[in-house]
Amino acid sequence: MRETPPEVTGTGPGSPGQAVLACYDVTKSYGGVLAVDSVSLEIPARGLFGLCGFNGAGKSTLFNLLAGSVRADSGSVRIDGRDATGWSAMRRARSGVARTWQTVRLAHGRSAVDNVAAACLSDAGQWMLGALWRPQAAPARERAWAAMERLGIGDLGARTVDGLTLEAQRLTELARALASEPKVLLADEPASGLSATQRTVLAEALTAISKSRAVVVVEHDLDMLTSISGHMWAMVEGRLAYSGDVATFRSSAVYAGLRGIQQAESPGVP
């Protein structure tokens, strides 16, 4: 039985004219099961926004709908006010929407800088197959090194990704997403598998990134997410159950429910 969500306090922190990425009444079902149910939200040009919910709430599916890796059954997606509903994932990426994934997706056997530079080329596949120092790749490499330096991992650029720690791999993925200079970064559970210290490093990196663009983070670590976010969205069974400021979220029924689940699974969590 569907849980009745509390009243949603708006769809986002910005107005339609300010949204760089937005969706309106998007719906997606798989085998008759609603994964995303009439969700609307607007993402303004800058800031860090948290998206949370129970496992299976529809968070990753919503990211897929926004980034274009899956098509909505109904509803619309807009980028800078333009109807992007029918656009491919590649066209949306070129229009400023970048994302990372729950599991690390790097090209094994290649250097970290190769992986980052791939995002700066029109044909990433040719990069991995082509000569490492071909002249036309030089601008992509320069942007890749710059993105890695911004995240403090420039010293790892020449190393193969297989030998990097999970933290370094996730930061490499962030650098790859940033190298294309996106308007919006969708980060799907970037802290998964990281230690407390590593999560602190990641939180600082995400906060710094959000100073110049919009960053939307899906994360189960509510302590981390609420400490870095300026606005929260929460999903329950495919629906947007909360949209508002962090302080109000912490006193909401959705937050209490999520904390209850966390405490039941991890008795040591305060």
Side-chain angles (χ1 to χ4, degrees):
M1 184 174 73
R2 179 184 297 279
E3 176 183 338
T4 301
E7 181 180 356
V8 177
T9 57
T11 58
S15 68
Q18 296 173 319
V20 292
L21 176 63
C23 63
Y24 301 100
D25 295 319
V26 291
T27 296
K28 181 66 180 179
S29 63
Y30 295 99
V33 178
L34 278 171
V36 173
D37 185 2
S38 300
V39 170
S40 299
L41 56 81
E42 297 168 346
I43 304 169
R46 291 179 182 81
L48 203 153
F49 312 96
L51 175 61
C52 63
F54 300 103
N55 287 329
K59 305 179 300 297
S60 293
T61 299
L62 180 60
F63 265 20
N64 293 338
L65 294 172
L66 291 170
S69 56
V70 301
R71 296 292 179 88
D73 298 332
S74 60
S76 64
V77 175
R78 304 188 73 84
I79 298 175
D80 284 330
R82 295 178 294 168
D83 187 358
T85 308
W87 293 4
S88 66
M90 179 62 72
R91 184 175 179 185
R92 295 189 198 191
R94 290 173 178 168
S95 298
V97 180
R99 72 164 300 177
T100 64
W101 305 81
Q102 289 184 14
T103 56
V104 174
R105 297 189 179 188
L106 297 173
H108 298 290
R110 305 296 301 198
S111 69
V113 74
D114 282 3
N115 276 270
V116 176
C120 304
L121 297 177
S122 58
D123 188 341
Q126 287 186 2
W127 169 269
M128 293 304 174
L129 296 174
L132 182 62
W133 291 103
R134 63 185 185 180
Q136 58 267 43
R141 291 184 64 85
E142 291 177 3
R143 290 170 63 182
W145 283 114
M148 297 186 74
E149 290 289 350
R150 286 173 62 187
L151 294 179
I153 55 171
D155 59 322
L156 303 179
R159 295 176 55 180
T160 58
V161 295
D162 307 81
L164 299 180
T165 65
L166 179 58
E167 175 192 13
Q169 289 180 351
R170 290 202 178 279
L171 288 174
T172 299
E173 283 202 316
L174 277 177
R176 182 173 62 187
L178 287 177
S180 61
E181 294 296 334
K183 299 173 183 176
V184 182
L185 171 63
L186 307 175
D188 198 351
E189 297 190 27
S192 177
L194 301 186
S195 68
T197 299
Q198 292 169 336
R199 285 168 185 253
T200 298
V201 173
L202 177 65
E204 292 173 350
L206 291 171
T207 299
I209 294 167
S210 70
K211 302 298 183 183
S212 59
R213 70 202 72 231
V215 179
V216 185
V217 181
V218 166
E219 186 52 59
H220 289 288
D221 184 342
L222 289 180
D223 291 329
M224 170 186 165
L225 194 60
T226 55
S227 70
I228 62 177
S229 299
H231 186 95
M232 291 294 302
W233 289 298
M235 294 183 69
V236 174
E237 295 184 0
R239 301 180 67 189
L240 191 64
Y242 178 86
S243 176
D245 64 84
V246 174
T248 305
F249 174 66
R250 287 195 179 111
S251 63
S252 70
V254 174
Y255 179 80
L258 288 169
R259 293 298 300 199
I261 292 293
Q262 285 191 338
Q263 290 170 353
E265 294 178 345
S266 306
V269 176

